[in-house]
Amino acid sequence: DAKTTQPTSMDCAEGRAANLPCNHSTISGNEYVYWYRQIHSQGPQYIIHGLKNNETNEMASLIITEDRKSSTLILPHATLRDTAVYYCIVRVAAGTASKLTFGTGTRLQVTL
Amino acid sequence: DAGVTQSPTHLIKTRGQQVTLRCSPKSGHDTVSWYQQALGQGPQFIFQYYEEEERQRGNFPDRFSGHQFPNYSSELNVNALLLGDSALYLCASSGWTSGALVATDTQYFGPGTRLTVL
């Protein structure tokens, strides 16, 4: 699986959009971009994933660049409950026994 | 619809003992993966079970073993516990869902079991 690079930490004011970047310059054509978050001492929570098109769900939006070498997770209106470590992961599509390889993630702190 | 459940929530053992952790997958899922998360680090893949067989394994010693039952639930066993085995053990389940072009097997995590080895 391709490696990812994320900033160690970010701050965001409550109510503002949180934009979390991720670089995955060695991503392969059959690899998806996945985002998970982990609130302190809880299991990781799935947020969103995409292949090459932008994706949106009730939690967030995922913007993938045209060359697929980077992506941005957008939380449109951050709240204090969004404070967590956010992991960007690339993995092969289904059809293989594909593990998740977690890096160190981005620690997002949402403040009043 | 119940999500992934794990038991017990917390566990304290001493060095040299053996431990068994349990996981029930999300309804409709047939694949279970186990991860170990040491304090301050991201989760590390231990192994994955599908159709009652180990399908993929990470870089963990043979002291770590598992099992999957016909109802898709799974156990993680760790023998000869070391202090370094203290961690949060996470179970994730997945199953096939059809997307626009290809199927993807998103993994959903349980709350974890916190193991402390003294």
Side-chain angles (χ1 to χ4, degrees):
Chain A
D1 293 342
K3 294 193 187 310
T4 63
T5 304
Q6 299 178 252
T8 303
S9 64
M10 295 181 65
D11 292 328
C12 179
E14 189 176 35
R16 304 297 294 269
N19 297 279
L20 291 87
C22 179
N23 288 320
H24 31 79
S25 59
T26 60
I27 191 170
S28 300
N30 65 343
E31 289 182 315
Y32 282 71
V33 179
Y34 276 77
W35 283 84
Y36 285 80
R37 72 181 182 183
Q38 188 171 27
I39 298 169
H40 183 62
S41 295
Q42 298 180 19
Q45 179 187 23
Y46 164 75
I47 301 173
I48 198 167
H49 73 280
L51 183 62
K52 55 183 178 181
N53 297 319
N54 298 338
E55 303 287 345
T56 296
N57 63 20
E58 65 279 4
M59 289 184 66
S61 294
L62 174 60
I63 308 299
I64 302 174
T65 58
E66 191 169 345
D67 63 7
R68 302 206 327 120
K69 293 184 176 181
S70 66
S71 61
T72 301
L73 178 75
I74 301 172
L75 307 178
H77 305 287
T79 71
L80 296 178
R81 287 180 294 181
D82 292 321
T83 294
V85 177
Y86 287 77
Y87 295 99
C88 170
I89 300 167
V90 293
R91 66 187 287 248
V92 297
T96 62
S98 51
K99 63 182 181 182
L100 292 171
T101 302
F102 288 82
T104 54
T106 296
R107 184 170 298 278
L108 176 68
Q109 180 70 51
V110 181
T111 58
L112 291 172
Chain B
D1 177 26
V4 180
T5 60
Q6 293 186 243
S7 63
T9 305
H10 296 86
L11 203 52
I12 299 175
K13 293 286 189 178
T14 57
R15 282 178 297 176
Q17 285 189 311
Q18 178 265 344
V19 68
T20 298
L21 310 181
R22 295 175 175 81
C23 172
S24 291
K26 188 176 170 67
S27 178
H29 286 181
D30 57 6
T31 302
V32 173
S33 303
W34 287 92
Y35 294 80
Q36 179 197 64
Q37 185 174 25
L39 199 62
Q41 299 182 19
Q44 300 296 308
F45 176 76
I46 303 175
F47 43 54
Q48 184 180 83
Y49 276 84
Y50 172 71
E51 291 190 341
E52 302 181 48
E53 291 192 357
E54 184 182 292
R55 185 163 67 172
Q56 190 180 18
R57 188 178 183 93
N59 188 25
F60 278 80
D62 292 344
R63 297 187 298 108
F64 289 78
S65 63
H67 187 78
Q68 185 179 35
F69 299 93
N71 67 352
Y72 309 120
S73 67
S74 176
E75 289 182 349
L76 164 65
N77 301 292
V78 186
N79 295 322
L81 284 167
L82 304 173
L83 296 179
D85 295 330
S86 294
L88 180 67
Y89 287 85
L90 297 160
C91 167
S93 74
S94 56
W96 291 84
T97 56
S98 296
L101 296 174
V102 296
T104 60
D105 57 342
T106 298
Q107 294 186 18
Y108 294 87
F109 286 81
T113 293
R114 172 72 62 186
L115 172 65
T116 301
V117 182
L118 301 176

